[in-house]
Amino acid sequence: EDQVTQSPEALRLQEGESSSLNCSYTVSGLRGLFWYRQDPGKGPEFLFTLYSAGEEKEKERLKATLTKKESFLHITAPKPEDSATYLCAVQASSGGSYIPTFGRGTSLIVHP
Amino acid sequence: DGGITQSPKYLFRKEGQNVTLSCEQNLNHDAMYWYRQDPGQGLRLIYYSQIVNDFQKGDIAEGYSVSREKKESFPLTVTSAQKNPTAFYLCASSIQRPLAKNIQYFGAGTRLSVL
Protein backbone atom coordinates (compact mmCIF):
# COMPACT_ATOMS: atom_id res chain seq x y z
CA GLU A 1 0.00 0.00 0.00
CA ASP A 2 1.28 3.44 -0.96
CA GLN A 3 2.03 5.70 2.00
CA VAL A 4 2.88 9.37 2.31
CA THR A 5 4.04 11.00 5.55
CA GLN A 6 4.56 14.73 5.86
CA SER A 7 6.51 16.45 8.61
CA PRO A 8 6.27 18.56 10.58
CA GLU A 9 2.48 18.79 10.96
CA ALA A 10 2.82 22.49 11.70
CA LEU A 11 5.63 24.99 11.30
CA ARG A 12 5.89 28.56 12.50
CA LEU A 13 8.58 30.79 10.99
CA GLN A 14 9.57 34.40 11.22
CA GLU A 15 9.61 36.32 7.99
CA GLY A 16 12.95 35.66 6.30
CA GLU A 17 13.65 32.48 8.28
CA SER A 18 14.32 29.73 5.72
CA SER A 19 13.26 26.13 6.38
CA SER A 20 12.21 22.86 4.76
CA LEU A 21 9.11 20.67 4.71
CA ASN A 22 9.50 16.92 4.35
CA CYS A 23 7.45 14.35 2.44
CA SER A 24 8.48 10.70 2.95
CA TYR A 25 6.88 8.09 0.76
CA THR A 26 6.68 4.39 0.04
CA VAL A 27 5.26 3.44 -3.32
CA SER A 28 5.53 0.53 -5.71
CA GLY A 29 7.27 2.46 -8.44
CA LEU A 30 6.98 6.25 -8.57
CA ARG A 31 5.16 7.78 -11.52
CA GLY A 32 5.23 11.25 -10.01
CA LEU A 33 5.33 13.26 -6.79
CA PHE A 34 3.20 16.38 -6.54
CA TRP A 35 3.27 19.41 -4.25
CA TYR A 36 0.17 21.53 -3.73
CA ARG A 37 -0.54 24.66 -1.72
CA GLN A 38 -3.90 25.03 0.04
CA ASP A 39 -5.14 28.28 1.52
CA PRO A 40 -7.80 28.12 4.28
CA GLY A 41 -11.26 27.39 2.91
CA LYS A 42 -9.99 26.89 -0.65
CA GLY A 43 -9.02 24.02 -2.91
CA PRO A 44 -5.40 22.91 -3.34
CA GLU A 45 -3.38 24.67 -6.00
CA PHE A 46 -0.72 22.78 -7.97
CA LEU A 47 2.90 23.81 -7.38
CA PHE A 48 5.31 21.18 -8.70
CA THR A 49 5.65 17.71 -10.18
CA LEU A 50 8.83 15.66 -9.71
CA TYR A 51 9.47 12.39 -11.51
CA SER A 52 12.93 11.05 -10.75
CA ALA A 53 15.50 11.16 -7.97
CA GLY A 54 17.77 14.17 -8.24
CA GLU A 55 15.17 16.32 -9.94
CA GLU A 56 14.61 19.86 -8.67
CA LYS A 57 11.96 22.49 -9.46
CA GLU A 58 11.85 26.14 -8.37
CA LYS A 59 9.17 28.79 -8.18
CA GLU A 60 9.86 32.11 -6.51
CA ARG A 61 10.86 31.31 -2.90
CA LEU A 62 10.01 27.60 -3.20
CA LYS A 63 12.29 24.79 -4.31
CA ALA A 64 11.24 21.14 -4.44
CA THR A 65 13.73 18.28 -4.48
CA LEU A 66 13.30 14.51 -4.79
CA THR A 67 15.21 11.44 -3.61
CA LYS A 68 14.20 7.78 -3.82
CA LYS A 69 12.50 7.96 -0.43
CA GLU A 70 11.50 11.56 0.18
CA SER A 71 10.94 15.02 -1.16
CA PHE A 72 11.72 18.36 0.40
CA LEU A 73 10.03 21.68 -0.14
CA HIS A 74 12.58 24.34 0.72
CA ILE A 75 11.27 27.81 1.52
CA THR A 76 13.84 30.56 1.24
CA ALA A 77 13.28 33.86 3.07
CA PRO A 78 9.54 33.25 3.46
CA LYS A 79 6.98 36.03 3.57
CA PRO A 80 3.64 36.09 5.43
CA GLU A 81 1.84 35.41 2.14
CA ASP A 82 3.56 32.01 2.01
CA SER A 83 1.41 30.95 4.97
CA ALA A 84 -0.72 27.98 3.86
CA THR A 85 -0.99 24.21 4.12
CA TYR A 86 1.37 22.37 1.79
CA LEU A 87 0.24 18.97 0.56
CA CYS A 88 2.36 16.24 -0.96
CA ALA A 89 0.95 13.42 -3.12
CA VAL A 90 2.50 10.43 -4.88
CA GLN A 91 1.29 8.56 -7.91
CA ALA A 92 2.38 4.96 -8.41
CA SER A 93 3.45 3.60 -11.77
CA SER A 94 1.99 0.13 -11.19
CA GLY A 95 -1.58 -0.73 -12.14
CA GLY A 96 -3.92 1.13 -14.47
CA SER A 97 -5.17 3.68 -11.93
CA TYR A 98 -3.75 7.16 -11.77
CA ILE A 99 -5.09 7.91 -8.32
CA PRO A 100 -2.59 9.76 -6.14
CA THR A 101 -2.10 9.19 -2.43
CA PHE A 102 -2.03 12.37 -0.36
CA GLY A 103 -0.21 13.15 2.86
CA ARG A 104 -1.91 15.04 5.68
CA GLY A 105 -0.09 18.25 4.92
CA THR A 106 2.15 20.72 6.73
CA SER A 107 0.53 23.89 8.02
CA LEU A 108 2.97 26.77 7.61
CA ILE A 109 2.55 30.12 9.36
CA VAL A 110 5.00 32.91 8.61
CA HIS A 111 4.97 35.77 11.09
CA PRO A 112 5.88 39.31 9.97
CA ASP B 1 -11.42 30.96 -17.97
CA GLY B 2 -10.90 27.20 -17.77
CA GLY B 3 -11.35 25.57 -14.43
CA ILE B 4 -13.51 23.61 -12.03
CA THR B 5 -16.63 25.07 -10.47
CA GLN B 6 -18.13 23.67 -7.31
CA SER B 7 -21.45 24.75 -5.91
CA PRO B 8 -22.76 25.66 -3.51
CA LYS B 9 -19.91 27.02 -1.39
CA TYR B 10 -21.84 26.25 1.81
CA LEU B 11 -24.53 23.62 2.29
CA PHE B 12 -26.60 22.57 5.26
CA ARG B 13 -28.20 19.17 5.59
CA LYS B 14 -31.09 18.19 7.78
CA GLU B 15 -31.16 14.75 9.33
CA GLY B 16 -32.51 12.14 6.93
CA GLN B 17 -32.05 14.39 3.93
CA ASN B 18 -30.05 13.69 0.76
CA VAL B 19 -28.05 16.60 -0.64
CA THR B 20 -26.21 16.97 -3.93
CA LEU B 21 -22.95 18.82 -4.50
CA SER B 22 -22.26 20.08 -7.99
CA CYS B 23 -18.95 19.88 -9.85
CA GLU B 24 -18.45 21.15 -13.40
CA GLN B 25 -15.21 21.41 -15.38
CA ASN B 26 -14.39 22.98 -18.75
CA LEU B 27 -10.82 21.69 -18.95
CA ASN B 28 -11.78 18.78 -21.22
CA HIS B 29 -10.34 16.39 -18.64
CA ASP B 30 -11.23 12.71 -18.76
CA ALA B 31 -10.96 11.96 -15.05
CA MET B 32 -12.84 13.51 -12.16
CA TYR B 33 -12.60 12.90 -8.43
CA TRP B 34 -14.37 13.63 -5.16
CA TYR B 35 -12.42 14.02 -1.91
CA ARG B 36 -13.44 14.61 1.64
CA GLN B 37 -11.20 16.72 3.90
CA ASP B 38 -11.56 16.79 7.68
CA PRO B 39 -9.46 18.98 10.02
CA GLY B 40 -5.98 17.53 10.45
CA GLN B 41 -6.67 14.84 7.85
CA GLY B 42 -5.37 14.46 4.36
CA LEU B 43 -7.60 14.19 1.34
CA ARG B 44 -9.64 10.99 1.38
CA LEU B 45 -11.00 9.71 -1.91
CA ILE B 46 -14.76 9.14 -2.09
CA TYR B 47 -15.34 8.31 -5.77
CA TYR B 48 -13.56 8.77 -9.06
CA SER B 49 -14.46 8.50 -12.71
CA GLN B 50 -12.04 7.92 -15.56
CA ILE B 51 -14.60 8.07 -18.35
CA VAL B 52 -18.21 9.04 -18.95
CA ASN B 53 -20.79 6.55 -17.61
CA ASP B 54 -18.20 4.81 -15.45
CA PHE B 55 -17.05 5.45 -11.89
CA GLN B 56 -15.25 3.62 -9.11
CA LYS B 57 -15.48 3.64 -5.34
CA GLY B 58 -12.67 5.22 -3.42
CA ASP B 59 -11.61 4.59 0.16
CA ILE B 60 -14.71 6.05 1.86
CA ALA B 61 -17.62 5.59 -0.59
CA GLU B 62 -20.21 4.40 1.94
CA GLY B 63 -23.09 6.86 2.26
CA TYR B 64 -22.25 8.65 -1.00
CA SER B 65 -23.31 8.25 -4.62
CA VAL B 66 -22.20 9.80 -7.92
CA SER B 67 -23.09 9.90 -11.59
CA ARG B 68 -21.08 10.75 -14.71
CA GLU B 69 -23.54 11.34 -17.54
CA LYS B 70 -21.46 14.10 -19.13
CA LYS B 71 -17.72 14.59 -19.40
CA GLU B 72 -18.01 18.02 -17.80
CA SER B 73 -20.10 17.08 -14.79
CA PHE B 74 -19.60 14.80 -11.76
CA PRO B 75 -22.20 15.49 -9.04
CA LEU B 76 -21.88 13.94 -5.58
CA THR B 77 -24.91 13.01 -3.49
CA VAL B 78 -24.48 12.73 0.25
CA THR B 79 -27.20 10.34 1.34
CA SER B 80 -28.92 9.97 4.69
CA ALA B 81 -26.83 6.83 5.18
CA GLN B 82 -23.77 9.02 5.71
CA LYS B 83 -24.00 9.60 9.46
CA ASN B 84 -21.13 12.06 9.78
CA PRO B 85 -21.25 14.23 6.67
CA THR B 86 -19.84 17.44 8.14
CA ALA B 87 -16.65 18.11 6.17
CA PHE B 88 -15.04 20.08 3.35
CA TYR B 89 -15.67 18.42 -0.01
CA LEU B 90 -13.29 18.90 -2.92
CA CYS B 91 -13.77 18.01 -6.56
CA ALA B 92 -10.81 17.58 -8.88
CA SER B 93 -10.11 16.67 -12.48
CA SER B 94 -7.11 15.52 -14.49
CA ILE B 95 -6.15 14.22 -17.90
CA GLN B 96 -5.84 10.46 -17.97
CA ARG B 97 -3.14 9.29 -20.31
CA PRO B 98 -0.06 7.10 -19.88
CA LEU B 99 3.18 9.03 -19.43
CA ALA B 100 1.24 12.25 -18.88
CA LYS B 101 1.62 14.42 -15.83
CA ASN B 102 -1.93 13.71 -14.62
CA ILE B 103 -1.88 16.79 -12.43
CA GLN B 104 -5.10 17.24 -10.50
CA TYR B 105 -6.87 20.58 -10.63
CA PHE B 106 -9.21 21.33 -7.77
CA GLY B 107 -12.37 23.32 -7.30
CA ALA B 108 -12.86 25.80 -4.45
CA GLY B 109 -14.73 23.26 -2.32
CA THR B 110 -18.11 22.90 -0.65
CA ARG B 111 -18.41 23.04 3.11
CA LEU B 112 -21.22 20.79 4.30
CA SER B 113 -22.69 21.08 7.77
CA VAL B 114 -25.49 19.25 9.55
CA LEU B 115 -28.37 21.23 11.04
Side-chain angles (χ1 to χ4, degrees):
Chain A
E1 183 179 328
D2 303 337
Q3 289 191 337
V4 179
T5 302
Q6 291 189 246
S7 62
E9 290 185 12
L11 181 63
R12 293 178 179 269
L13 300 173
Q14 289 297 127
E15 185 171 2
E17 179 186 2
S18 301
S19 188
S20 297
L21 282 55
N22 177 264
C23 172
S24 298
Y25 64 89
T26 55
V27 65
S28 53
L30 182 68
R31 176 186 292 273
L33 184 141
F34 304 86
W35 282 99
Y36 291 86
R37 169 189 170 129
Q38 185 176 23
D39 292 304
K42 297 188 178 181
E45 177 184 340
F46 171 74
L47 290 173
F48 304 109
T49 308
L50 302 166
Y51 294 103
S52 56
E55 189 176 0
E56 298 181 354
K57 295 274 180 75
E58 285 190 66
K59 181 180 179 180
E60 297 181 355
R61 295 176 293 280
L62 301 176
K63 180 180 177 180
T65 61
L66 181 65
T67 72
K68 289 186 177 181
K69 294 183 178 181
E70 58 192 349
S71 176
F72 290 95
L73 185 64
H74 306 278
I75 304 177
T76 302
K79 297 182 178 181
E81 53 261 43
D82 294 321
S83 298
T85 295
Y86 291 85
L87 298 170
C88 171
V90 296
Q91 196 172 50
S93 59
S94 62
S97 169
Y98 303 102
I99 308 301
T101 299
F102 280 85
R104 295 189 174 193
T106 293
S107 174
L108 173 66
I109 297 175
V110 181
H111 296 284
Chain B
D1 287 355
I4 300 178
T5 302
Q6 289 188 242
S7 63
K9 189 172 177 65
Y10 299 97
L11 186 59
F12 297 91
R13 192 192 89 167
K14 295 179 181 178
E15 194 166 339
Q17 185 183 40
N18 293 351
V19 293
T20 298
L21 285 60
S22 170
C23 179
E24 303 277 334
Q25 56 101 356
N26 60 3
L27 300 168
N28 199 33
H29 285 169
D30 301 304
M32 297 187 75
Y33 315 78
W34 274 106
Y35 291 94
R36 170 176 172 146
Q37 189 175 36
D38 295 281
Q41 302 272 341
L43 300 183
R44 292 188 289 168
L45 184 66
I46 305 172
Y47 269 98
Y48 66 99
S49 168
Q50 295 177 303
I51 195 170
V52 173
N53 293 322
D54 186 50
F55 47 83
Q56 307 295 327
K57 292 182 179 180
D59 301 319
I60 56 166
E62 186 174 350
Y64 301 97
S65 66
V66 294
S67 63
R68 186 88 186 274
E69 297 177 0
K70 298 187 300 181
K71 187 175 184 178
E72 302 79 18
S73 180
F74 191 41
L76 173 74
T77 297
V78 183
T79 74
S80 57
Q82 173 48 247
K83 298 306 180 187
N84 183 24
T86 297
F88 190 51
Y89 291 87
L90 288 162
C91 178
S93 71
S94 71
I95 59 174
Q96 192 83 327
R97 293 171 216 149
L99 305 181
K101 286 187 176 182
N102 294 316
I103 298 165
Q104 289 186 317
Y105 294 89
F106 287 84
T110 293
R111 188 165 298 280
L112 175 62
S113 302
V114 176
L115 288 176

